[in-house]
Amino acid sequence: MTYLIDRRLQGKNKSAVNRERFLRRYKAQIKDAVGRAIKGRSITDVENGEKVSIPVKDVGEPSFGHAHGGVWETVNPGNEEYQKGDLINRPRGGGGAGRGKAGNSDQTSEDDFIFELSREEFMNYFFEDLELPHMVKTQLSSSTEFKNQRAGYNMSGTPSNIHVLRSLRGALGRRIAVGGHARKQLQQAETELLQLLQDGAAADTARVLELKKLIHHLHTRLIAIPFIDPFDLRYSNRIKVPKPMTQAVMFCIMDVSGSMDETRKDTAKRFFILLYLFLKRVYDKIDVVFIRHHTAAAEVDENEFFHSRESGGTVVSSALNLLNQIIDERYGGGAWNSYVAQASDGDNWDNDSILCRQLLVNTIMPKVQYYTYVEITDGPPQNLWEQYAQVPDHHAHFAMQKIVTPADIYPVFRELFKKQPKS
């Protein structure tokens, strides 16, 4: 008998059949199923799991068997129904199993191996070909920076880290502790000597000479105590503590003027949701700021952002000025990764579009990690698009795309956040 011991390391939360290896082996079929699932569901449900089916012929596992060598004796059971030369009727219902279809379909047969992808696995395949470009501060959600923090004092260190006040305080305490008994004896001896001399004792008497000798010895002993000893030195202790850089702020800017109907707003909302799901995979903490504008801009909550109705003209620069103000007041100092997504139909005053380009190039782009602009229109590019098209010449982390129908959201999203070629 042969025993096989599986010594493969099982990762955390991995099943005994090595689910991770299984997913890696059938990566192509799973990615194909994920792609079909994206087309058949709403973007708001994109982070749910998915059932995937794979043909049984593709999931065969190697097996071990004994070689048929030597002399074998076998006993086969006979039959009491058929004789040699009998004709057997064809079975009804066709050729049985074997017609299963691979794919993410409801019409599965017993030949389909069906398993369910978890939410995390589904999202891994969904975002596998994407990345956040130009991430200056953070590359992965698990990446952290370290900052120096004071943590008491050490008895060893470099001279530049010596804490003078703490060292002198320790030296003073040591001198008091070491010389305390000697000072007490010295005070007693001096008092006794003074008393003897006042009582008329001769300077050459035995007790006077003994006290003088003791006083000299105690003075010498106290003088010998060093002012500061290497033992007294204290060094400032600084340790490195992880400083998570996994917080981001996502600014959603949308035009709510009369030209932006409910269909365009819904398209913009789907794009914002997809971007938010993407950022959630990179950052532990995400703040979302909603800025809506027509002729004036205002920071609002999500419900008002998507459902409030406005009419009138469009002044996009009002939103950019408010964006810049919020970044300076609440998200400055380099502790936040700022991402901006702007959706509009492109309609804007001609003179204001030029001002928008200047605000982006000179003020806003240096403060953000990435800026995306999507123009939701089925017509020719508007004046805002023409001005924004000049921004990438100054800042590479600016991207813009055009969305005509909701079906364009995902392709546009992939184009905006596709992996950048390594230089």
Side-chain angles (χ1 to χ4, degrees), residues 209-278:
L209 293 176
E210 182 181 353
L211 288 174
K212 288 182 178 181
K213 184 178 179 180
L214 177 60
I215 291 173
H216 176 73
H217 172 72
L218 293 175
H219 272 296
T220 304
R221 182 177 175 182
L222 291 174
I223 293 174
I225 299 176
F227 178 78
I228 191 166
D229 190 88
F231 177 79
D232 304 324
L233 296 180
R234 294 295 181 267
Y235 300 84
S236 297
N237 183 31
R238 292 180 174 86
I239 60 175
K240 288 185 176 182
V241 296
K243 178 184 177 182
M245 291 299 295
T246 55
Q247 56 183 9
V249 54
M250 172 181 166
F251 293 94
C252 299
I253 302 177
M254 185 168 65
D255 178 10
V256 293
S257 61
S259 58
M260 284 286 289
D261 54 22
E262 289 300 320
T263 302
R264 290 174 176 172
K265 289 182 181 179
D266 181 67
T267 302
K269 179 179 180 179
R270 290 169 178 262
F271 179 80
F272 291 144
I273 291 175
L274 193 58
L275 177 58
Y276 177 74
L277 291 176
F278 190 21

Side-chain angles (χ1 to χ4, degrees), residues 157-168:
T158 60
S160 61
N161 288 333
I162 291 179
H163 196 282
V164 178
L165 181 60
R166 191 78 178 188
S167 300
L168 292 177

Side-chain angles (χ1 to χ4, degrees), residues 27 31 124-135 139-140 278 370 411-423:
K27 183 176 180 179
K31 287 189 64 176
N124 282 335
Y125 285 102
F126 178 70
F127 288 118
E128 185 178 25
D129 298 331
L130 306 179
E131 70 174 357
L132 289 177
H134 307 289
M135 295 187 64
Q139 294 296 329
L140 299 172
F278 190 21
Y370 205 62
V412 166
F413 181 82
R414 293 182 65 93
E415 181 65 25
L416 289 173
F417 296 100
K418 65 182 179 181
K419 288 187 176 182
Q420 303 297 309
K422 296 182 178 180
S423 56

Side-chain angles (χ1 to χ4, degrees), residues 45 168 184 281 291 304 355 406-407:
D45 301 327
L168 292 177
K184 185 177 181 180
R281 297 182 54 80
I291 300 176
E304 186 177 356
L355 178 59

Side-chain angles (χ1 to χ4, degrees), residues 291-307:
I291 300 176
R292 56 197 297 274
H293 70 91
H294 41 91
T295 55
E299 181 181 358
V300 296
D301 58 21
E302 183 176 359
N303 182 65
E304 186 177 356
F305 182 77
F306 288 113
H307 301 293

Side-chain angles (χ1 to χ4, degrees), residues 324 358-367:
N324 184 56
Q358 295 173 348
L359 282 172
L360 283 176
V361 173
N362 301 325
T363 306
I364 296 177
M365 293 308 300
K367 301 178 182 179

Side-chain angles (χ1 to χ4, degrees), residues 43-173:
I43 291 181
T44 56
D45 301 327
V46 74
E47 59 177 343
N48 295 332
E50 180 67 20
K51 287 186 178 180
V52 177
S53 60
I54 298 178
V56 169
K57 64 182 180 65
D58 289 340
V59 295
E61 293 287 345
S63 59
F64 293 89
H66 295 284
H68 289 274
V71 179
W72 289 74
E73 293 183 0
T74 59
V75 178
N76 298 316
N79 74 87
E80 50 187 36
E81 182 178 356
Y82 301 104
Q83 298 293 330
K84 184 176 181 180
D86 290 347
L87 300 177
I88 300 175
N89 294 328
R90 183 186 299 275
R92 295 182 179 181
R99 301 191 304 273
K101 295 182 180 180
N104 190 27
S105 172
D106 295 335
Q107 299 179 353
T108 59
S109 70
E110 60 183 3
D111 279 355
D112 289 337
F113 175 76
I114 302 177
F115 66 99
E116 187 168 351
L117 288 176
S118 66
R119 174 186 178 277
E120 184 67 22
E121 292 167 343
F122 182 83
M123 296 297 285
N124 282 335
Y125 285 102
F126 178 70
F127 288 118
E128 185 178 25
D129 298 331
L130 306 179
E131 70 174 357
L132 289 177
H134 307 289
M135 295 187 64
V136 178
K137 300 177 183 176
T138 308
Q139 294 296 329
L140 299 172
S141 60
S142 59
S143 64
T144 56
E145 291 185 357
F146 292 88
K147 63 177 180 179
N148 289 326
Q149 178 175 302
R150 295 185 61 179
Y153 304 95
N154 270 341
M155 298 182 64
S156 60
T158 60
S160 61
N161 288 333
I162 291 179
H163 196 282
V164 178
L165 181 60
R166 191 78 178 188
S167 300
L168 292 177
R169 186 183 302 173
L172 178 60

